[in-house]
Amino acid sequence: MRLSRYFMPILKENPKEAEIVSHRLMLRAGMIRQQSQGIYSWLPLGKRVLDKVNAIIREEQNRAGAIELSMPTLQSAELWQESGRYDAYGKEMLRIKDRQERPMLYGPTNEEMVTDIFRSSVKSYKDLPLNLYHIQLKFRDEIRPRFGTMRSREFMMKDAYSFDLTREGAEHSYNKMFAAYLRTFDRLGLRAIPMRADTGPIGGNLSHEFIILADTGESEVFCHKDFVGFDIPGENTDFDSVEGLQAIFDKWTSLYAATSEMHDEAAFNAVPEGERLSARGIEVGHIFYFGTKYSEPMGAKVQGPDGKEHFVHMGSYGIGPTRLVPAIIEASHDDNGIIWPASVAPFDVVVINMKAGDQACDDTCELIYAALTKAGKDVLYDDTDDRAGTKFATADLIGVPVQIIAGPRAVANGEVEVKDRKTGARETMTIEAAINRFVA
Ligand code: P5A
């Protein structure tokens, strides 16, 4: 992508409305724009990061055996009347009427809709277990939307829903998502700690929130320090192994970890003082087991091996991609801007032409740009005629992991400078060596 032809509206000044660093940097880097309170557009740079986050979420959901579908954002009120949540949900639900005066709503979550899909076609235990998910916009009319896309009214959610014949089966399904979440957040460069959590309007009595420790987090959390160093389940994790996944769940729940709603002061005080961590955190995921809470009132049942009908045991599993992007920035930035983990960086490398219009600089940059693009890399080429200082500041602000800098003096020697955004380390090398770093 040539910067001269791209759309990346950088802000020079710090936006006044931004209270936390991620919100400030997302606005300054031209990643998002507020359209109305708590409702955002994702501009091209932000969209690239969001897409990469979603790709990792999708890969790990698929690995754990979940199956992707797509459900609408607008839902009929009737479904929610069946479960009893239409009245219970309160003012957070955006209620709308269509031209026939039929009550509709902008979905805040999809337990009812997916239960309806399930009951319309699954009749036998032989079709279980089943886990269906989508990555879709939701709307919750939050009292206090704030911190940009961290807590917005319209936001994206990956929501998965599992169906099993028995409670034991449902626990295995829960454990699959538990392990998939540990892997997902790790691949996003984050350390998320599962904590016992309140179930709120979703319901049930088994639930974990996945929390990233951050000073700007909205949740108050309490946990054992050792979680910070626990091993993450590997790529070869067998998601069909009931014992294997139970062992992962048992390990990750063996030490104290709870959000303030579930906090047990006495249990926390039993943790040796030097090992207690009392901190603030960002909830990036939340998983629930709620048994037959929806299947019973909505009549979602299957025939079991005993020939009888059984209401299915369900769970639901959420991740907030549009919250994850600012959460990653909270965890990874410096005074100059964002530092993206390579897995979600909007571009793999930025090529900076320090003197656009100078034949040797132009030729060198074009050569590198073409070679890296051909090698399948996402390359941003700063071919604008801005001053070198402005270009460096922009490259640092948008946080691309590697900068290849081509200035007249180095280019005259057949060389460029390669800068690592995270460490700031700069290395002069031949043009060929710079290309080979990515191609090899
Ligand atoms: C689980 C999947 C649910 O809604 N039903 C379907 C369950 N859970 S939840 O905890 O309420 O939300 C899941 C995740 O969505 C993100 N999230 C938000 N992100 C941005 N702005 C918001 N206002 C917002 N509300 C929820 C969080 O990451 C949460 O863990």
Side-chain angles (χ1 to χ4, degrees):
M1 179 61 62
R2 288 169 198 275
L3 187 55
S4 63
R5 297 185 199 163
Y6 198 41
F7 180 64
M8 200 173 80
I10 300 281
L11 295 183
K12 294 236 163 45
E13 305 296 324
N14 267 332
K16 281 193 239 31
E17 71 267 32
E19 295 169 59
I20 61 172
V21 68
S22 57
H23 189 194
R24 194 156 59 235
L25 290 174
M26 286 176 81
L27 290 171
R28 285 203 45 215
M31 292 176 65
I32 53 169
R33 175 173 168 73
Q34 180 168 311
Q35 302 300 153
S36 53
Q37 194 196 25
I39 300 180
Y40 288 84
S41 289
W42 284 75
L43 305 182
L45 191 76
K47 173 79 164 58
R48 275 180 171 266
V49 178
L50 188 58
D51 285 349
K52 293 206 172 176
V53 167
N54 283 337
I56 290 176
I57 294 173
R58 191 172 272 124
E59 267 180 41
E60 294 303 328
Q61 289 292 294
N62 295 347
R63 190 197 304 278
I67 305 167
E68 188 170 8
L69 78 174
S70 178
M71 293 180 265
T73 50
L74 291 182
Q75 307 188 19
S76 138
E78 269 170 41
L79 272 180
W80 288 67
Q81 282 154 351
E82 280 190 56
S83 73
R85 279 208 294 184
Y86 189 62
D87 295 326
Y89 218 93
K91 281 189 171 263
E92 275 203 3
M93 180 187 276
L94 181 64
R95 297 159 205 258
I96 315 160
K97 282 207 173 126
D98 71 7
R99 67 198 295 165
Q100 274 101 29
E101 293 292 308
R102 277 188 295 244
M104 312 277 295
L105 56 101
Y106 192 133
T109 177
N110 284 55
E111 279 79 7
E112 283 79 357
M113 187 171 277
V114 77
T115 305
D116 176 61
I117 292 172
F118 179 89
R119 73 179 169 186
S120 69
S121 48
V122 182
K123 305 289 177 206
S124 163
Y125 75 95
K126 291 181 187 155
D127 297 324
L128 302 182
L130 184 65
N131 183 328
L132 299 174
Y133 79 96
H134 67 164
I135 300 178
Q136 177 63 290
L137 292 172
K138 303 280 181 280
F139 193 93
R140 293 182 184 171
D141 206 347
E142 301 269 351
I143 306 181
R144 205 179 307 122
R146 57 181 187 158
F147 302 156
T149 65
M150 188 77 91
R151 176 173 297 282
S152 50
R153 296 199 297 164
E154 188 190 61
F155 60 96
M156 198 169 269
M157 197 195 287
K158 182 290 297 178
D159 38 329
Y161 304 87
S162 67
F163 303 88
D164 284 271
L165 180 65
T166 62
R167 181 182 170 114
E168 295 70 51
E171 281 170 0
H172 180 50
S173 294
Y174 189 91
N175 291 348
K176 285 185 192 173
M177 288 293 111
F178 190 95
Y181 277 33
L182 292 172
R183 285 190 48 75
T184 303
F185 299 127
D186 182 63
R187 287 186 61 192
L188 296 172
L190 296 169
R191 169 57 46 147
I193 302 173
M195 304 201 183
R196 284 304 298 266
D198 186 29
T199 57
I202 306 294
N205 50 25
L206 171 62
S207 151
H208 288 89
E209 282 180 13
F210 287 74
I211 304 269
I212 311 273
L213 302 180
D215 294 340
T216 47
E218 292 189 284
S219 317
E220 199 186 353
V221 299
F222 306 87
C223 70
H224 197 292
K225 251 177 40 195
D226 284 2
F227 276 116
V228 177
F230 270 18
D231 284 344
I232 300 295
E235 208 169 82
N236 54 358
T237 301
D238 179 1
F239 282 86
D240 290 325
S241 163
V242 174
E243 304 73 37
L245 288 195
Q246 191 61 43
I248 293 170
F249 177 84
D250 290 345
K251 169 143 202 254
W252 278 88
T253 52
S254 60
L255 299 174
Y256 189 85
T259 59
S260 56
E261 295 90 358
M262 300 297 277
H263 186 48
D264 174 348
E265 197 69 38
F268 188 54
N269 287 338
V271 176
E273 197 172 348
E275 285 155 36
R276 282 181 223 154
L277 203 62
S278 151
R280 300 204 67 81
I282 302 168
E283 176 206 324
V284 287
H286 197 165
I287 61 177
F288 303 80
Y289 164 70
F290 41 71
T292 58
K293 175 175 170 178
Y294 300 91
S295 58
E296 265 193 67
M298 296 186 67
K301 51 193 174 193
V302 293
Q303 194 173 51
D306 56 4
K308 295 191 189 135
E309 304 236 283
H310 301 264
F311 291 116
V312 287
H313 286 252
M314 292 175 58
S316 73
Y317 315 91
I319 292 183
T322 47
R323 174 176 292 180
L324 269 168
V325 174
I328 293 168
I329 297 175
E330 288 295 327
S332 185
H333 65 268
D334 64 14
D335 290 346
N336 297 329
I338 303 166
I339 303 174
W340 293 114
S343 59
V344 296
F347 294 97
D348 300 314
V349 53
V350 52
V351 178
I352 301 175
N353 187 340
M354 279 174 68
K355 201 169 180 198
D358 173 277
Q359 196 63 50
C361 284
D362 289 355
D363 289 349
T364 301
C365 289
E366 290 291 346
L367 181 84
I368 297 171
Y369 179 51
L372 297 186
T373 304
K374 188 157 169 251
K377 298 294 161 193
D378 286 331
V379 191
L380 180 66
Y381 171 25
D382 188 344
D383 59 342
T384 64
D385 48 21
D386 285 339
R387 287 183 310 112
T390 306
K391 293 189 178 198
F392 294 148
T394 299
D396 279 356
L397 173 65
I398 66 171
V400 174
V402 182
Q403 302 170 10
I404 298 182
I405 302 160
R409 215 170 307 150
V411 164
N413 294 331
E415 290 177 336
V416 287
E417 227 184 340
V418 177
K419 177 179 156 186
D420 181 302
R421 170 65 183 90
K422 188 170 179 180
T423 62
R426 289 157 170 267
E427 215 182 315
T428 300
M429 58 182 81
T430 64
I431 294 162
E432 199 187 3
I435 293 172
N436 283 342
R437 250 174 95 127
F438 292 91
V439 176

mmCIF file of all heavy atoms in Angstrom, residues 292-310:
data_model
loop_
_atom_site.group_PDB
_atom_site.id
_atom_site.type_symbol
_atom_site.label_atom_id
_atom_site.label_comp_id
_atom_site.label_asym_id
_atom_site.label_seq_id
_atom_site.Cartn_x
_atom_site.Cartn_y
_atom_site.Cartn_z
ATOM 1 N N THR A 292 -30.003 -25.857 31.058
ATOM 2 C CA THR A 292 -31.208 -25.868 30.226
ATOM 3 C C THR A 292 -31.988 -24.554 30.332
ATOM 4 O O THR A 292 -33.177 -24.515 30.035
ATOM 5 C CB THR A 292 -32.109 -27.053 30.633
ATOM 6 O OG1 THR A 292 -32.422 -26.902 32.035
ATOM 7 C CG2 THR A 292 -31.411 -28.390 30.426
ATOM 8 N N LYS A 293 -31.314 -23.478 30.735
ATOM 9 C CA LYS A 293 -32.000 -22.195 30.938
ATOM 10 C C LYS A 293 -32.779 -21.733 29.692
ATOM 11 O O LYS A 293 -33.853 -21.153 29.796
ATOM 12 C CB LYS A 293 -30.994 -21.112 31.347
ATOM 13 C CG LYS A 293 -31.651 -19.758 31.438
ATOM 14 C CD LYS A 293 -30.805 -18.636 31.935
ATOM 15 C CE LYS A 293 -31.595 -17.332 31.701
ATOM 16 N NZ LYS A 293 -30.962 -16.143 32.148
ATOM 17 N N TYR A 294 -32.228 -21.954 28.509
ATOM 18 C CA TYR A 294 -32.918 -21.550 27.269
ATOM 19 C C TYR A 294 -33.614 -22.728 26.603
ATOM 20 O O TYR A 294 -34.669 -22.581 26.004
ATOM 21 C CB TYR A 294 -31.933 -20.893 26.289
ATOM 22 C CG TYR A 294 -31.306 -19.654 26.889
ATOM 23 C CD1 TYR A 294 -30.106 -19.731 27.607
ATOM 24 C CD2 TYR A 294 -31.935 -18.419 26.797
ATOM 25 C CE1 TYR A 294 -29.547 -18.606 28.201
ATOM 26 C CE2 TYR A 294 -31.385 -17.288 27.394
ATOM 27 C CZ TYR A 294 -30.193 -17.394 28.098
ATOM 28 O OH TYR A 294 -29.660 -16.280 28.694
ATOM 29 N N SER A 295 -33.002 -23.931 26.698
ATOM 30 C CA SER A 295 -33.571 -25.078 25.976
ATOM 31 C C SER A 295 -34.935 -25.476 26.545
ATOM 32 O O SER A 295 -35.822 -25.874 25.790
ATOM 33 C CB SER A 295 -32.597 -26.258 25.988
ATOM 34 O OG SER A 295 -32.272 -26.637 27.310
ATOM 35 N N GLU A 296 -35.116 -25.321 27.863
ATOM 36 C CA GLU A 296 -36.417 -25.728 28.442
ATOM 37 C C GLU A 296 -37.560 -24.824 28.003
ATOM 38 O O GLU A 296 -38.514 -25.305 27.393
ATOM 39 C CB GLU A 296 -36.325 -25.774 29.968
ATOM 40 C CG GLU A 296 -36.021 -27.197 30.446
ATOM 41 C CD GLU A 296 -36.226 -27.383 31.939
ATOM 42 O OE1 GLU A 296 -37.390 -27.311 32.383
ATOM 43 O OE2 GLU A 296 -35.218 -27.599 32.621
ATOM 44 N N PRO A 297 -37.477 -23.497 28.261
ATOM 45 C CA PRO A 297 -38.608 -22.666 27.846
ATOM 46 C C PRO A 297 -38.807 -22.632 26.335
ATOM 47 O O PRO A 297 -39.921 -22.425 25.855
ATOM 48 C CB PRO A 297 -38.251 -21.273 28.379
ATOM 49 C CG PRO A 297 -36.787 -21.293 28.628
ATOM 50 C CD PRO A 297 -36.449 -22.711 28.970
ATOM 51 N N MET A 298 -37.720 -22.864 25.561
ATOM 52 C CA MET A 298 -37.844 -22.772 24.100
ATOM 53 C C MET A 298 -38.016 -24.147 23.446
ATOM 54 O O MET A 298 -38.084 -24.256 22.224
ATOM 55 C CB MET A 298 -36.633 -22.037 23.516
ATOM 56 C CG MET A 298 -36.554 -20.592 23.995
ATOM 57 S SD MET A 298 -35.246 -19.648 23.205
ATOM 58 C CE MET A 298 -35.855 -19.571 21.512
ATOM 59 N N GLY A 299 -38.085 -25.199 24.241
ATOM 60 C CA GLY A 299 -38.362 -26.538 23.709
ATOM 61 C C GLY A 299 -37.269 -27.085 22.805
ATOM 62 O O GLY A 299 -37.561 -27.702 21.769
ATOM 63 N N ALA A 300 -35.991 -26.874 23.186
ATOM 64 C CA ALA A 300 -34.888 -27.430 22.378
ATOM 65 C C ALA A 300 -34.489 -28.757 22.994
ATOM 66 O O ALA A 300 -33.782 -28.801 24.007
ATOM 67 C CB ALA A 300 -33.708 -26.467 22.342
ATOM 68 N N LYS A 301 -34.966 -29.854 22.388
ATOM 69 C CA LYS A 301 -34.667 -31.169 22.953
ATOM 70 C C LYS A 301 -34.310 -32.165 21.863
ATOM 71 O O LYS A 301 -34.658 -31.973 20.701
ATOM 72 C CB LYS A 301 -35.839 -31.664 23.799
ATOM 73 C CG LYS A 301 -37.160 -31.598 23.118
ATOM 74 C CD LYS A 301 -38.299 -31.795 24.112
ATOM 75 C CE LYS A 301 -39.621 -31.579 23.389
ATOM 76 N NZ LYS A 301 -40.748 -31.436 24.260
ATOM 77 N N VAL A 302 -33.599 -33.194 22.300
ATOM 78 C CA VAL A 302 -33.201 -34.251 21.366
ATOM 79 C C VAL A 302 -33.562 -35.607 21.964
ATOM 80 O O VAL A 302 -33.714 -35.738 23.184
ATOM 81 C CB VAL A 302 -31.667 -34.242 21.092
ATOM 82 C CG1 VAL A 302 -31.251 -32.993 20.349
ATOM 83 C CG2 VAL A 302 -30.866 -34.410 22.373
ATOM 84 N N GLN A 303 -33.659 -36.583 21.070
ATOM 85 C CA GLN A 303 -33.897 -37.940 21.536
ATOM 86 C C GLN A 303 -32.562 -38.536 21.985
ATOM 87 O O GLN A 303 -31.576 -38.471 21.261
ATOM 88 C CB GLN A 303 -34.481 -38.777 20.414
ATOM 89 C CG GLN A 303 -35.055 -40.084 20.938
ATOM 90 C CD GLN A 303 -35.794 -40.826 19.848
ATOM 91 O OE1 GLN A 303 -35.232 -41.021 18.758
ATOM 92 N NE2 GLN A 303 -37.007 -41.236 20.126
ATOM 93 N N GLY A 304 -32.533 -39.089 23.210
ATOM 94 C CA GLY A 304 -31.303 -39.669 23.739
ATOM 95 C C GLY A 304 -31.189 -41.134 23.376
ATOM 96 O O GLY A 304 -32.108 -41.704 22.777
ATOM 97 N N PRO A 305 -30.074 -41.773 23.735
ATOM 98 C CA PRO A 305 -29.896 -43.209 23.457
ATOM 99 C C PRO A 305 -30.952 -44.050 24.172
ATOM 100 O O PRO A 305 -31.223 -45.190 23.778
ATOM 101 C CB PRO A 305 -28.492 -43.514 24.000
ATOM 102 C CG PRO A 305 -27.983 -42.276 24.640
ATOM 103 C CD PRO A 305 -28.927 -41.166 24.402
ATOM 104 N N ASP A 306 -31.565 -43.490 25.212
ATOM 105 C CA ASP A 306 -32.621 -44.208 25.942
ATOM 106 C C ASP A 306 -33.986 -44.085 25.264
ATOM 107 O O ASP A 306 -34.988 -44.570 25.777
ATOM 108 C CB ASP A 306 -32.705 -43.663 27.383
ATOM 109 C CG ASP A 306 -32.926 -42.146 27.407
ATOM 110 O OD1 ASP A 306 -33.081 -41.536 26.320
ATOM 111 O OD2 ASP A 306 -32.949 -41.568 28.507
ATOM 112 N N GLY A 307 -34.023 -43.405 24.119
ATOM 113 C CA GLY A 307 -35.286 -43.257 23.395
ATOM 114 C C GLY A 307 -36.153 -42.123 23.928
ATOM 115 O O GLY A 307 -37.177 -41.798 23.340
ATOM 116 N N LYS A 308 -35.745 -41.515 25.029
ATOM 117 C CA LYS A 308 -36.534 -40.413 25.602
ATOM 118 C C LYS A 308 -36.029 -39.060 25.111
ATOM 119 O O LYS A 308 -34.900 -38.937 24.647
ATOM 120 C CB LYS A 308 -36.426 -40.455 27.139
ATOM 121 C CG LYS A 308 -37.053 -41.687 27.749
ATOM 122 C CD LYS A 308 -37.137 -41.501 29.264
ATOM 123 C CE LYS A 308 -37.561 -42.807 29.918
ATOM 124 N NZ LYS A 308 -36.747 -43.121 31.095
ATOM 125 N N GLU A 309 -36.863 -38.034 25.291
ATOM 126 C CA GLU A 309 -36.473 -36.683 24.899
ATOM 127 C C GLU A 309 -35.781 -35.971 26.067
ATOM 128 O O GLU A 309 -36.212 -36.102 27.222
ATOM 129 C CB GLU A 309 -37.717 -35.887 24.506
ATOM 130 C CG GLU A 309 -38.518 -36.555 23.416
ATOM 131 C CD GLU A 309 -38.713 -35.640 22.228
ATOM 132 O OE1 GLU A 309 -39.566 -34.751 22.336
ATOM 133 O OE2 GLU A 309 -37.993 -35.813 21.216
ATOM 134 N N HIS A 310 -34.718 -35.253 25.737
ATOM 135 C CA HIS A 310 -33.961 -34.525 26.774
ATOM 136 C C HIS A 310 -33.736 -33.086 26.334
ATOM 137 O O HIS A 310 -33.354 -32.855 25.179
ATOM 138 C CB HIS A 310 -32.577 -35.174 26.968
ATOM 139 C CG HIS A 310 -32.637 -36.611 27.380
ATOM 140 N ND1 HIS A 310 -32.558 -37.019 28.685
ATOM 141 C CD2 HIS A 310 -32.786 -37.748 26.637
ATOM 142 C CE1 HIS A 310 -32.628 -38.339 28.744
ATOM 143 N NE2 HIS A 310 -32.783 -38.807 27.512
#
